[in-house]
């Protein structure tokens, strides 16, 4: 099956411009204190940049379903790795005995 | 029906004159890009490691004849079980069926001239050789004593053995695995013969695809994990170090994310071989083809979500443990489906007790025992008692030896006529199959019992009440050794002295049997066209056939 | 390799389309392996950042955000050039292809120079984990974990950039020799996929390493 051919130059230049704009956004938000949302916003912007590179520079847009699958498989498997491992870490202290002692935020030192 | 290609009828009952083995020069072997020769190169390489790892096992079993640690020191014993594990897992089992039988048979089975990337294929073998050399160098310098699992902080901080060099050897052969997996996936996607749709593929191809998926997605995580461990050991500081606030359990998560799917890398190709053998030697179309094909994929995917069952007694969260436990029960279902389907295939079939069929039948029994004991281990509460005992050792040997090695032997015997153009001596084949079955059970069944009674693994000395089981186990191991030695001898004998096989001694379906034995360099004179489903066997049609007598 | 008008088809393939499809699929599968290879490090980062958020934020302040940001822009622009290079190869524009490949490689070299400068600065400021690591704020050990991950992840990325530079230079030489004038541009396409992937990894590394704590 014939895979897609390359795009016109304007598509590439527009993608480049969008990427640079997103980079500026990343930078800008880095100087704003949004607490835990800093990470969410930063990742959202990074994912957008990655999608732009994948769709237009790597020609995923317009390519076969098989290549779409191959492109996403790594990410899906990474999510499996992340989900189960972080699930372990975040559920380790569910049954922490209640105490009056206020612990500082970084009280967990790896394996008990 | 699969339309026959132009087989030279003069080669019926003869060795095909001009075949892929015709050129005898070293150059033609060392610079080959022919998938068939590369399969043979891999076979020769992994046999060396099977032998070395068997010697380690033999020394362990001899030590364990007596309760005292009298043959070797505990440090040496640690090195023996480590080397046995490392070499058997990464240098024998993981490559075995994919790189030997997969490389040889896959392109033939799909009607292709070669794999998608033949030069990469040869490169993967050379990478394997380099990794092997590094591992052997580590061995000769004194080996490793961390166990094949390289757990931190022992491996990173306290071990006095050659951890980094052995890890480097494993790291390097990992790339060989990745390349092979990628090559197979692209080959299966892109190079099937006309008319060979996905659901007309032989089940061996499905199993190789599922295996390749795991090879490609899991091995990189092993690579980075070993690299992280090695860098931490070398640098003296790292992320698994509790003194820095690091978590050794993170190593275990990363390690088992690969190593559990790795056991499916080891068993899935074996299951694929068994599907081929059962259907051929029952002269009956396989029962539930679609279920078996999809179960291979299900095992590949689900197998990535159960790794925490190796960590039930680590400080992993109990909730994570519960999730991993449930998923571990779930992953047994597709395996169970396969066993039921193989059994149903044999039902009302015409069974031919050839050597490959003996191995296949042995596989079904032994894999079932291994698989069921896996369920014992998947239960959190039971695992707490039997983890790190010989119960676990017996479980995984039932799967890996009783299952995988048995399947490898079965496949090797089944396709030997295709690979060499010669028949092995059937009577010796049957004898060896029987010896391995008996020897295997005598070796490993007592280990279930003593493990359940509390004998720990990785100990070279033990309380006297376990001696009787250990003696039985060692006795079994010696019979098992004979069972593995016999084929080594008669296979080599058959290369020069075996009877000519002809293109299809087993009267099997499948494109690989539609070409001469040994096949010509480019496999098929004319690209075959497939017009129907696989395994169109008929027990009635073959009423006068007696395959076990050949 | 044939220099005739028709592209060269390797003997295991039926036609040029099958060959091209196989090469593309093969490279994407390889990239999936790379996602998981880097993924292990990203997992470690995620685990430790969730355990030690304040120290990671504080440690991140010691990275050179201007240099990191400049490097991100450099890589994004190099990806643009690479996309044009693939286009030039498909249009059989040999001269443009050579210049674009060289340009991409050059930007890769600039990236490495900036990185080298950054590493030197980190070394001088005693931020390299080990016996010379110095940290004058709270939780020294957690900061050491941050910097271990910083060097491991940017270091692994740098190795991939170096490999990419060599691949691009090799392709530039082959292009100069006219190897891609016959419509056989798959190697350029496939190298482009690799280079874009290296860019994507950095797209994630930049905010995680340099902007872990707001400035």
């Amino acid at each position: 099956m014939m895979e897609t051919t390359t795009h016109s130059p304007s598509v590439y230049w527009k993608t480049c411009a969008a990427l640079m704009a997103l980079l500026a956004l990343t930078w800008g938000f880095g100087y704003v204190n949004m607490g835990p949302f800093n990470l969410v916003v930063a990742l959202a912007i990074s994912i957008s940049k990655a999608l732009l590179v994948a769709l237009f520079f790597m020609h995923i847009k317009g390519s076969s379903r098989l290549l779409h699958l191959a492109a996403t498989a790594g990410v899906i498997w990474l999510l499996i790795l992340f989900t189960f491992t972080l699930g372990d870490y975040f559920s380790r202290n569910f049954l922490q005995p209640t105490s009056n002692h206020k612990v500082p935020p970084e009280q967990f030192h790896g394996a008990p | 029906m699969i339309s026959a290609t132009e087989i030279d009828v003069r080669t019926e009952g003869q060795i095909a004159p001009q075949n892929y083995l015709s050129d005898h020069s070293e150059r033609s072997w060392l610079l080959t890009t022919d998938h068939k020769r590369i399969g043979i190169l891999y076979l020769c390489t992994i046999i060396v490691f099977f032998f070395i790892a068997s010697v380690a096992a033999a020394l362990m079993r001899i030590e364990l004849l007596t309760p005292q640690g009298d043959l070797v020191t505990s440090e040496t014993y640690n090195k023996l079980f480590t080397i046995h594990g490392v070499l058997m897992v990464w240098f024998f089992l993981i490559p075995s069926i994919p790189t030997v039988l997969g490389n040889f048979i896959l392109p033939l089975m799909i009607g292709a001239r070669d794999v998608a990337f033949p030069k990469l294929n040869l490169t993967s073998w050379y990478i394997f050789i380099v990794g092997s050399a590094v591992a052997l160098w580590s061995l000769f310098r004194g080996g490793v004593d961390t166990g094949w699992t390289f757990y931190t902080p022992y491996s990173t901080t306290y071990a006095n053995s050659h951890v980094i060099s052995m890890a480097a050897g494993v790291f390097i052969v990992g790339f060989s695995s990745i390349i092979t997996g990628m090559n197979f996936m692209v080959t299966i996607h892109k190079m099937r013969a006309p008319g060979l749709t996905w659901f007309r593929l032989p089940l061996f191809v499905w199993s190789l695809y599922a295996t390749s998926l795991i090879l490609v997605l899991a091995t990189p995580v092993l690579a980075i994990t070993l690299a992280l461990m090695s860098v931490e050991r070398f640098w003296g500081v790292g992320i698994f170090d509790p003194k820095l606030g690091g978590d050794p359990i993170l190593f275990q998560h990363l390690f088992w994310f690969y190593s559990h799917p790795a056991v499916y890398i080891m068993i899935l190709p074996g299951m694929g071989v068994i599907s081929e053998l059962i259907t051929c030697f029952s002269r009956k179309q396989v029962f539930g083809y679609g279920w078996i094909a999809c179960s291979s994929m299900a095992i590949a995917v689900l197998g990535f979500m159960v790794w925490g069952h190796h960590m039930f007694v680590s400080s992993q969260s109990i909730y994570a443990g519960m999730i991993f436990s449930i998923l571990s029960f779930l992953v047994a279902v597709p395996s169970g489906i396969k066993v039921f389907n193989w059994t149903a295939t044999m039902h009302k079939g015409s069974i031919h007790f050839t050597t490959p069929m003996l191995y296949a039948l042995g596989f079904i029994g032994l894999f079932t025992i291994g698989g069921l004991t896996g369920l014992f281990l998947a239960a959190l509460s039971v695992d707490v008692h039997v983890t790190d005992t010989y119960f676990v050792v017996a479980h995984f040997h039932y799967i890996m030896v009783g299952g995988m090695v048995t399947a490898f032997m079965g496949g090797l015997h089944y396709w030997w006529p295709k690979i060499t153009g010669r028949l092995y001596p059937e009577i010796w084949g049957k004898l060896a199959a029987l010896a391995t079955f008996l020897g295997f059970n005598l070796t490993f069944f007592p280990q279930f019992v003593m493990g359940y009674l509390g004998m720990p693994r990785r100990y070279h000395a033990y309380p006297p009440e376990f001696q009787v089981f250990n003696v039985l186990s060692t006795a079994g191991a010696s019979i098992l050794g004979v069972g593995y030695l016999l084929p080594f001898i008669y296979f080599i004998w058959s290369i020069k002295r075996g009877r000519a096989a002809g293109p299809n001694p087993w009267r099997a379906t499948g494109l690989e049997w539609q070409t001469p034995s040994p096949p010509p360099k480019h496999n098929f004179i004319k690209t075959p066209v497939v017009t129907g489903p696989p395994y169109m066997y008929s027990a009635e049609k073959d009423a006068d056939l007696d395959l076990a007598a050949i | 390799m044939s220099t005739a008008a028709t592209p060269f088809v390797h003997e295991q393939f039926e036609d040029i389309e099958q060959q091209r499809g196989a090469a593309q699929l093969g490279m994407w599968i390889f990239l999936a392996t790379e996602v998981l290879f880097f993924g292990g490090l990203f997992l470690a980062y995620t685990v430790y950042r969730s355990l030690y958020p304040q120290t990671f934020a504080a440690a991140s302040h010691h990275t050179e955000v201007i240099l990191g940001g400049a490097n991100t822009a450099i890589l994004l622009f190099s990806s643009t050039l690479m996309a044009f290079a693939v286009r030039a190869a498909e249009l059989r524009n040999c001269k443009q292809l050579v210049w674009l490949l060289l340009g991409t490689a050059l930007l890769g070299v600039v990236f490495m120079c900036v990185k080298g400068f950054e590493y030197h600065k980190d070394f001088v400021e005693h931020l390299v984990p080990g016996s010379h690591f110095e940290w004058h704020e709270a939780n020294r050990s957690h900061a050491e974990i941050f910097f271990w991950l910083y060097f491991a992840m940017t270091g692994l990325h740098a190795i991939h950039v170096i490999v990419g530079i060599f691949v691009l230079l090799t392709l530039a030489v082959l292009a100069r020799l006219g190897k891609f004038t016959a419509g056989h541009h798959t190697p350029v396409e496939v190298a482009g996929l690799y280079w874009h992937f290296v860019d994507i990894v950095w797209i994630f590394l930049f905010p995680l390493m340099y902007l872990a704590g707001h400035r």
Side-chain angles (χ1 to χ4, degrees):
Chain A
M1 196 225 282
M2 185 77 165
E3 293 299 342
T4 186
T5 53
T6 52
H7 297 298
S8 69
S10 68
V11 172
Y12 295 137
W13 286 122
K14 281 191 217 159
T15 310
C16 182
L19 286 168
M20 295 300 179
L22 286 170
L23 173 61
L25 264 184
T26 313
W27 184 299
F29 276 118
Y31 287 86
V32 177
N33 184 2
M34 296 181 293
F37 284 104
N38 272 97
L39 179 62
V40 176
V41 169
L43 280 178
I45 300 178
S46 291
I47 291 171
S48 312
K49 283 188 219 150
L51 276 173
L52 282 171
V53 173
L55 287 170
F56 296 107
F57 286 165
M58 298 171 90
H59 304 121
I60 282 292
K61 187 171 193 309
S63 69
S64 66
R65 223 158 44 117
L66 177 60
L67 285 190
H68 290 182
L69 213 59
T72 46
V75 179
I76 294 173
W77 255 256
L78 201 60
L79 287 175
I80 296 176
L81 173 66
F82 270 62
T83 308
F84 285 91
T85 309
L86 293 174
D88 169 30
Y89 281 95
F90 290 145
S91 64
R92 280 188 191 178
N93 294 321
F94 276 4
L95 283 181
Q96 204 65 303
T98 53
S99 86
N100 293 321
H101 172 58
K102 262 252 176 276
V103 292
E106 281 181 23
Q107 50 87 7
F108 187 74
H109 290 286
Chain B
M1 277 309 296
I2 297 172
S3 65
T5 51
E6 295 159 13
I7 307 170
D8 190 342
V9 293
R10 290 174 300 158
T11 66
E12 186 73 38
Q14 291 181 8
I15 317 290
Q18 263 302 95
N19 59 64
Y20 79 99
L21 292 167
S22 298
D23 187 343
H24 294 291
S25 63
E26 289 99 16
R27 228 183 110 87
S28 71
W29 277 99
L30 295 176
L31 293 179
T32 185
T33 53
D34 183 348
H35 64 98
K36 301 184 286 298
R37 288 190 173 217
I38 293 174
I40 294 176
L41 288 172
Y42 267 110
L43 178 63
C44 298
T45 315
I46 65 173
I47 284 179
V48 171
F49 286 100
F50 184 72
F51 180 71
I52 301 175
S54 300
V55 168
L59 288 170
M60 286 160 61
R61 286 265 37 108
I62 295 172
E63 164 65 84
L64 291 171
L65 276 172
T66 58
Q68 306 84 11
D70 38 24
L71 183 67
V72 293
T73 61
S74 57
E75 285 82 15
T76 306
Y77 190 81
N78 295 347
K79 291 183 179 181
L80 286 175
F81 67 67
T82 304
I83 211 61
H84 175 74
V86 169
L87 294 186
M88 280 299 191
V89 168
W90 283 302
F91 294 85
F92 176 68
L93 278 168
I94 287 192
S96 60
I97 292 183
T99 63
V100 178
L101 297 175
N103 259 322
F104 197 99
I105 297 294
L106 173 65
L108 286 167
M109 263 188 171
I110 63 173
R113 283 189 287 282
D114 207 310
V115 290
F117 308 114
K119 285 192 240 168
L120 259 186
N121 205 6
L122 181 68
T123 308
S124 82
W125 180 71
Y126 275 109
I127 292 175
F128 192 84
I129 292 295
V130 170
S132 304
V134 173
L136 284 173
W137 181 71
S138 176
L139 179 57
F140 289 137
R141 291 202 59 215
V144 196
D145 64 346
T146 58
W148 79 280
T149 46
F150 290 109
Y151 273 14
T152 61
Y154 184 65
S155 57
T156 48
T157 316
Y158 303 104
N160 282 323
S161 52
H162 301 274
V163 177
I164 296 180
S165 49
M166 187 60 75
V170 175
F171 181 91
I172 294 168
V173 300
F175 286 102
S176 174
S177 286
I178 290 173
I179 292 173
T180 300
M182 185 270 279
N183 221 340
F184 283 1
M185 286 179 82
V186 178
T187 305
I188 296 170
H189 272 287
K190 297 286 183 185
M191 296 174 72
R192 286 167 281 130
L196 191 51
T197 58
W198 280 90
F199 284 96
R200 287 178 178 173
L201 283 170
L203 289 166
F204 184 50
V205 179
W206 275 102
S207 72
L208 285 176
Y209 187 85
T211 306
S212 300
L213 194 69
I214 309 176
L215 280 169
V216 147
L217 293 169
T219 315
V221 178
L222 174 77
I224 195 66
T225 309
L226 291 178
L228 288 174
M229 184 237 352
S230 302
V231 171
E232 180 163 336
R233 183 178 170 84
F234 184 78
W235 207 341
V237 62
I239 58 170
F240 302 124
D241 186 352
K243 291 198 298 290
L244 285 185
D247 187 8
I249 308 305
L250 181 62
F251 174 87
Q252 293 187 28
H253 276 299
L254 286 168
F255 179 81
W256 287 112
F257 179 83
Y258 161 82
S259 296
H260 187 82
V263 316
Y264 296 114
I265 295 173
M266 293 189 263
I267 198 61
L268 274 169
M271 291 168 157
V273 170
I274 298 307
S275 294
E276 300 292 323
L277 302 185
I278 294 288
T279 181
C280 175
F281 297 112
S282 308
R283 310 313 293 175
K284 199 159 153 272
Q285 198 170 26
V286 74
F287 181 87
Y289 168 94
W291 285 95
I292 300 187
C294 294
S295 70
S296 293
M297 299 304 295
I299 291 173
V301 174
L302 277 173
F304 272 94
M305 303 186 207
V306 301
W307 79 81
H309 66 226
H310 298 271
M311 298 163 61
F312 282 154
V313 299
S314 70
S315 61
Q316 175 180 262
S317 132
I318 191 82
Y319 301 100
M322 288 193 253
I323 308 263
F324 281 123
S325 175
I326 294 176
L327 287 167
S328 302
F329 276 95
L330 209 59
V331 80
V333 171
S335 297
I337 289 175
K338 285 183 194 279
V339 174
F340 284 130
N341 285 14
W342 291 324
T343 313
T345 304
M346 289 190 286
H347 178 62
K348 294 206 171 153
S350 167
I351 311 292
H352 295 253
F353 290 97
T354 59
T355 304
M357 187 57 163
L358 291 180
Y359 281 112
L361 293 171
F363 176 100
I364 295 178
L366 299 175
F367 172 75
T368 302
I369 295 175
L372 288 174
T373 51
L375 293 174
F376 282 52
L377 294 163
L380 272 165
S381 43
V382 175
D383 187 78
V384 168
H385 290 282
V386 294
T387 199
D388 277 335
T389 67
Y390 263 85
F391 191 90
V392 180
V393 175
H395 155 72
F396 64 69
H397 281 94
Y398 261 81
I399 309 256
M400 298 211 280
V401 186
M404 184 55 170
V405 180
T406 304
F408 183 55
M409 295 299 265
L412 211 53
H413 283 78
Y414 182 61
W415 280 302
W416 190 258
K418 180 58 55 184
I419 296 171
T420 58
R422 307 264 184 179
L423 296 169
Y424 59 86
E426 181 64 27
I427 190 78
W428 284 102
K430 290 198 175 75
L431 208 65
L434 217 54
T436 52
F437 186 79
L438 293 171
F440 173 85
N441 279 301
L442 187 57
T443 310
F444 291 104
F445 200 85
Q447 294 187 3
F448 276 128
V449 181
M450 69 172 150
Y452 196 76
L453 291 173
M455 165 132 183
R457 63 188 285 198
R458 297 178 168 175
Y459 275 50
H460 76 317
Y462 54 84
E465 61 256 34
F466 295 123
Q467 183 172 23
V468 61
F469 302 106
N470 275 297
V471 170
L472 286 172
S473 188
T474 304
S478 47
I479 302 173
L480 188 61
V482 170
Y484 287 138
L485 201 57
L486 281 173
F488 183 72
I489 297 171
Y490 65 65
F491 272 145
I492 294 181
W493 175 90
S494 76
I495 290 175
K496 283 281 183 278
R497 306 294 193 88
R499 272 172 41 220
N504 194 355
W506 307 119
R507 298 293 179 269
T509 64
L511 291 176
E512 75 269 29
W513 302 106
Q514 308 298 322
T515 194
S517 305
K521 191 157 185 289
H522 293 110
N523 297 341
F524 298 95
I525 299 160
K526 210 170 59 158
T527 303
V529 177
V530 175
T531 53
Y535 312 127
M536 296 301 289
Y537 292 105
S538 155
E540 299 82 45
K541 210 162 51 107
D542 295 330
D544 296 327
L545 197 60
D546 184 5
L547 295 169
I550 59 164
Chain C
M1 180 117 44
S2 157
T3 50
T6 49
F8 181 75
V9 182
H10 293 281
E11 58 181 6
Q12 70 271 18
F13 294 115
E14 298 293 327
D15 53 47
I16 192 75
E17 274 317 307
Q18 192 188 43
Q19 179 172 287
R20 183 162 171 244
Q24 282 185 330
L25 180 60
M27 178 48 83
W28 274 108
I29 293 175
F30 173 68
L31 293 181
T33 71
E34 290 275 49
V35 168
L36 284 149
F37 191 56
F38 278 96
L41 282 167
F42 277 96
L43 175 72
Y45 174 92
T46 309
V47 165
Y48 289 119
R49 177 164 167 174
S50 64
L51 291 175
Y52 314 129
Q54 280 94 341
T55 314
F56 266 49
S60 176
H61 285 162
H62 290 256
T63 58
E64 310 296 324
V65 69
I66 295 177
L67 294 179
N71 257 354
T72 314
I74 288 168
L75 274 189
L76 289 174
F77 194 67
S78 77
S79 260
T80 313
L81 290 188
M82 188 69 223
F84 277 112
V86 175
R87 183 169 175 275
E90 202 182 52
L91 296 175
R92 308 187 188 200
N93 191 331
C94 177
K95 204 150 162 267
Q96 225 182 51
L97 172 61
V98 176
W99 281 115
L100 286 165
L101 286 170
L102 287 175
T104 311
L106 181 67
L107 286 175
V109 172
V110 173
F111 177 92
M112 288 309 304
C113 291
V114 173
K115 200 86 215 101
F117 180 73
E118 265 185 278
Y119 279 169
H120 171 76
K121 206 151 181 287
D122 294 324
F123 177 76
V124 160
E125 287 172 14
H126 298 284
L127 291 172
V128 177
S131 42
H132 300 291
F133 184 75
E134 275 176 26
W135 183 253
H136 304 290
E137 300 159 51
N139 296 313
R140 179 186 185 281
S141 50
H142 303 167
E144 203 166 358
I145 288 185
F146 174 87
F147 279 103
W148 202 100
L149 286 167
Y150 166 81
F151 282 106
M153 294 173 84
T154 58
L156 185 63
H157 178 262
I159 292 172
H160 282 79
V161 172
I162 293 171
V163 169
I165 292 170
F166 277 110
V167 168
L168 291 169
L169 291 175
T170 309
L171 286 177
V173 168
L174 289 174
R176 185 75 179 77
L177 295 172
K179 295 295 184 189
F180 303 121
T181 48
H184 171 59
H185 62 282
T186 310
V188 181
E189 208 175 340
V190 145
L193 289 176
Y194 173 81
W195 189 259
H196 294 308
F197 172 77
V198 170
D199 187 18
I200 289 179
V201 173
W202 185 261
I203 284 172
F204 284 96
L205 276 183
F206 174 60
L208 293 176
M209 290 293 143
Y210 295 84
L211 300 171
H214 69 92
R215 288 171 179 265

